[in-house]
């Protein structure tokens, strides 16, 4: 993988995530049943809007990149937006408590409500794979950056092993660190020709 392909993968997965969330937003906001001014529905609409805002923010941050090398600077912000999106998805929308609350409300209100509630649950399930793929794409991008960083960093210079030294008076052997060689300064290179 390269930075270019990591960026392309991120853009593709975030775009798919935005599409899946847009479908969920339409179902929650536009397909809601008549007389749905219930606290749980208003809360659901709010949470779904937050989910969409985080996904859109991740997409905007990716679209600001004009060069794949900028990914190193922008990836933390993309990661942050996608992490917020995933947190909202799993904790606020897919948790047992939220789904159960929605089901109980729909069960007491008739067929239109139950149909709407099932549509929401199916749309939430369709969002799961895009959420997971976007998180995997961020991890891959981080891994690519880490590999590039490791490739371009110089390996550390190993210290020479200690040298055993015997004291002449006692005959006792002792290990002393190897003396470091004196550093020799390299002559300055010049771009001028010598005459």
């Amino acid at each position: 993988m390269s930075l270019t392909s990591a960026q392309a993968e991120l853009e593709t997965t975030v775009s798919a995530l935005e599409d899946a969330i847009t479908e969920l937003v339409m179902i929650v906001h536009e397909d809601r049943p008549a007389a749905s001014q219930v606290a749980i529905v208003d809360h659901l609409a709010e949470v779904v809007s937050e989910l969409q805002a985080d996904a859109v923010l991740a997409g905007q941050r990716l679209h600001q990149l004009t060069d794949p090398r900028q990914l190193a600077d922008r990836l933390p912000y993309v990661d942050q937006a996608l992490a917020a999106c995933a947190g909202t998805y799993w904790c606020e929308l897919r948790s047992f408590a939220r789904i159960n609350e929605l089901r109980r409300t729909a069960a007491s209100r008739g067929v239109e409500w139950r149909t709407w509630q099932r549509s929401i649950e199916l749309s939430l399930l369709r969002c799961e794979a895009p959420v997971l793929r976007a998180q995997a794409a961020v991890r891959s991008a981080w891994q690519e950056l880490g590999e590039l960083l490791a490739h371009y960093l110089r390996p550390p210079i190993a210290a020479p092993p200690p040298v055993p030294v015997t004291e002449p008076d006692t005959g006792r052997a002792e290990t002393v660190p190897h003396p470091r060689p004196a550093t020799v300064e390299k002559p300055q290179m010049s771009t001028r020709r010598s005459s």
Side-chain angles (χ1 to χ4, degrees):
M1 186 181 264
S2 66
L3 284 180
T4 305
S5 57
Q7 180 183 347
E9 178 67 18
L10 268 172
E11 288 172 351
T12 301
T13 57
V14 168
S15 177
L17 177 62
E18 286 182 76
D19 292 344
I21 292 173
T22 298
E23 174 197 297
L24 177 63
V25 168
M26 290 181 69
I27 291 170
V28 169
H29 286 282
E30 296 178 16
D31 296 346
R32 59 197 287 177
S36 61
Q37 285 71 30
V38 181
I40 185 173
V41 176
D42 291 338
H43 178 71
L44 178 66
E46 219 174 275
V47 171
V48 166
S49 295
E50 288 174 19
L51 181 76
Q52 186 179 38
D54 289 330
V56 167
L57 181 60
Q60 288 172 344
R61 289 176 171 170
L62 279 172
H63 292 305
Q64 291 173 348
L65 300 177
T66 57
D67 185 328
R69 290 173 292 184
Q70 294 173 333
L71 191 59
D73 293 330
R74 303 302 302 165
L75 189 57
Y77 304 111
V78 174
D79 189 1
Q80 183 182 25
L82 288 175
C85 189
T88 300
Y89 177 76
W90 291 110
C91 297
E92 294 292 325
L93 294 171
R94 286 292 301 276
S95 70
F96 174 77
R98 296 288 181 226
I99 296 291
N100 191 41
E101 191 177 14
L102 183 62
R103 286 177 180 171
R104 280 185 303 138
T105 303
S108 64
R109 296 183 181 267
V111 176
E112 185 183 9
W113 274 78
R114 286 193 301 273
T115 304
W116 179 67
Q117 169 259 319
R118 284 189 205 109
S119 296
I120 290 172
E121 285 190 43
L122 289 172
S123 185
L124 282 169
L125 287 174
R126 285 190 292 272
C127 289
E128 181 177 339
V131 167
L132 294 174
R133 278 195 298 269
Q135 289 180 299
V138 167
R139 280 192 305 275
S140 292
W142 278 120
Q143 184 176 357
E144 180 61 27
L145 285 171
E147 287 173 7
L148 283 171
L149 182 63
H151 178 71
Y152 285 105
L153 288 178
R154 293 184 188 180
I157 299 172
V163 178
V165 175
T166 306
E167 290 183 19
D169 297 338
T170 62
R172 202 172 50 164
E174 221 180 281
T175 306
V176 252
H178 195 290
R180 293 190 175 248
T183 56
V184 178
E185 293 206 19
K186 294 181 182 177
Q188 290 290 330
M189 299 293 283
S190 174
T191 56
R192 293 185 177 191
R193 289 188 205 173
S194 56
S195 43

